[in-house]
Amino acid sequence: MAVKVAVLTSGGDALGMNAAIRAVIRSGLAYGFQMFAIFEGFRGIFENKIVSADRTFVSEIIMRGGTILKTARFPEFHDNDVVSKAADNLRFYGITHLIVIGGDGSYRGAFALSKHGIKIIGIPATIDNDVMGTEQTIGFDTALNTITEAVDKLRDTSSSHHRCSIIEVMGNRCGDLALYSGTACGVDLIISPEYRPSEEEIIETLKNINLNRARHALVIVSEKQYENLDDLRKRIVTETGFDAKIEVLGRLQRGGSPSASDRVLAGRLGVYAVDLIANGIDNVCVGVINGRLSHQPIAEVTKTTNPNLDELLNVIDKLK
Ligand code: F6P
């Protein structure tokens, strides 16, 4: 009897999720597995939104943003009875393996299901880049490029108006998007959970930039850092000599077409996830470490988030 494998996407959508779905379905079929797709993440398992997937199910999606399987946040999955019912639904179809494409919250849902006998493989996909067990998540590169393009454009208008643009980027308490985009754009200041100048330092830095006759100032700030970012903006206006505007990039960062790099990463991780199942390995999350594909037990990966930023922080410090 064919091994039955299902795939879902969960959490915030990330560019490259479709490429990962495609890689999983096509490589599973190549192994002779029977492949299933689940709509709307963990809620879809609970509500039985499960369909059989063939090769054409994933045609023409590699370049598309969003996720063809839709996604959902499903807090009810903290309830053990809900998880147990979801596991029963999978068993009804004979599904033994589930591939979960998502971020750390999705991994926690997957881990809960593994305790009910479903064999799990996690594939890291979130723009936040905050998943343990991988150096890069699917979606991070595209979001980073989107931010970079937006900041380059804001630089033009900021110069014309002698303005400080305070650009808020996503990251959900992980500063990677801010730190990498700030480095890519050579901005004047980055404010993130890992790199948090005081308000006095911020004002002092911007004052000096103004005294040096700069035409603009660019500040990138991670979301969720200030209760009211507008208070900081007002201080900048009254104390530094720059006009100041806040630009929240928001969910724009999750749209568009995935970059080549995200598509390739998705393809590598998707195929690797299925290779592991074929080799009898499960309850692990896949990732790239030192440029190579690797996997770690899901129990380890659900513990903390990705901390390794020292080298980049050094670059930011030297280029100030
Ligand atoms: O996890 C991805 C992410 O885009 C975070 O950066 C952000 O904090 C969150 O999702 C927003 O989620 P939602 O679109 O569900 O409000």
Side-chain angles (χ1 to χ4, degrees):
M1 250 210 342
V3 176
K4 296 188 180 179
V5 180
V7 60
L8 62 76
T9 50
S10 163
D13 58 358
L15 279 310
M17 277 183 163
N18 285 327
I21 297 165
R22 175 178 180 272
V24 164
I25 301 273
R26 292 224 166 145
S27 59
L29 293 171
Y31 272 114
F33 297 163
Q34 190 174 346
M35 300 304 292
F36 291 84
I38 297 166
F39 289 92
E40 295 175 29
F42 293 103
R43 184 167 68 209
I45 314 181
F46 186 69
E47 294 177 358
N48 257 318
K49 294 181 175 165
I50 303 172
V51 298
S52 175
D54 62 8
R55 208 184 145 74
T56 56
F57 184 85
V58 289
S59 293
E60 306 294 326
I61 65 167
I62 198 166
M63 67 302 186
R64 279 169 57 187
T67 156
I68 59 159
L69 297 184
K70 316 285 183 235
T71 180
R73 308 223 187 248
F74 188 50
E76 292 82 348
F77 219 64
H78 293 301
D79 179 342
N80 196 42
D81 291 344
V82 174
V83 181
S84 169
K85 165 87 171 32
D88 286 345
N89 286 354
L90 290 173
R91 271 190 283 271
F92 175 81
Y93 290 87
I95 295 167
T96 48
H97 294 74
L98 176 68
I99 297 181
V100 172
I101 304 171
D104 52 354
S106 310
Y107 278 12
R108 282 191 288 278
F111 187 41
L113 259 177
S114 74
K115 292 180 182 159
H116 289 262
I118 303 298
K119 295 175 176 168
I120 298 291
I121 309 276
I123 298 182
T126 162
I127 66 165
D128 300 338
N129 209 34
D130 60 349
V131 179
M132 276 288 281
T134 189
E135 287 160 358
Q136 192 155 325
T137 55
I138 297 165
F140 176 68
D141 180 69
T142 313
L144 179 58
N145 282 303
T146 301
I147 297 169
T148 302
E149 201 184 324
V151 175
D152 287 347
K153 287 178 176 161
L154 286 166
R155 181 191 296 269
D156 296 338
T157 173
S158 304
S159 283
S160 310
H161 290 264
H162 189 65
R163 183 170 279 161
C164 170
S165 286
I166 307 159
I167 303 140
E168 185 188 281
V169 300
M170 280 186 162
N172 195 23
R173 300 202 167 79
C174 170
D176 283 22
L177 280 174
L179 295 164
Y180 280 80
S181 62
T183 307
C185 299
V187 300
D188 301 290
L189 262 175
I190 301 170
I191 306 168
S192 80
E194 307 81 0
Y195 201 83
R196 187 67 204 262
S198 68
E199 276 198 25
E200 302 318 314
E201 286 169 322
I202 295 168
I203 298 297
E204 210 43 44
T205 305
L206 294 174
K207 250 188 202 166
N208 288 333
I209 291 170
N210 190 36
L211 288 174
N212 286 333
R213 297 178 184 279
R215 288 173 302 166
H216 64 252
L218 295 173
V219 178
I220 289 195
V221 55
S222 291
E223 64 176 354
K224 304 179 185 175
Q225 295 305 295
Y226 291 90
E227 214 144 276
N228 188 356
L229 189 55
D230 200 51
D231 290 343
L232 177 63
R233 183 196 69 79
K234 284 183 190 139
R235 276 197 72 180
I236 293 172
V237 173
T238 50
E239 295 178 43
T240 70
F242 281 115
D243 180 25
K245 297 280 181 199
I246 297 171
E247 313 288 351
V248 179
L249 298 188
R251 288 167 192 79
L252 188 83
Q253 294 160 93
R254 300 212 305 242
S257 177
S259 66
S261 165
D262 271 329
R263 297 182 203 189
V264 173
L265 181 63
R268 291 174 73 203
L269 292 177
V271 169
Y272 184 55
V274 176
D275 284 347
L276 291 175
I277 294 177
N279 287 303
I281 298 169
D282 48 61
N283 291 337
V284 295
C285 296
V286 297
V288 176
I289 305 280
N290 294 329
R292 301 180 77 91
L293 294 170
S294 75
H295 58 275
Q296 323 252 341
I298 190 164
E300 291 300 310
V301 174
T302 40
K303 275 185 195 154
T304 47
T305 52
N306 206 353
N308 199 3
L309 279 171
D310 294 351
E311 199 257 3
L312 185 66
L313 292 176
N314 178 43
V315 172
I316 292 169
D317 219 39
K318 297 276 163 46
L319 296 182
K320 265 205 285 214

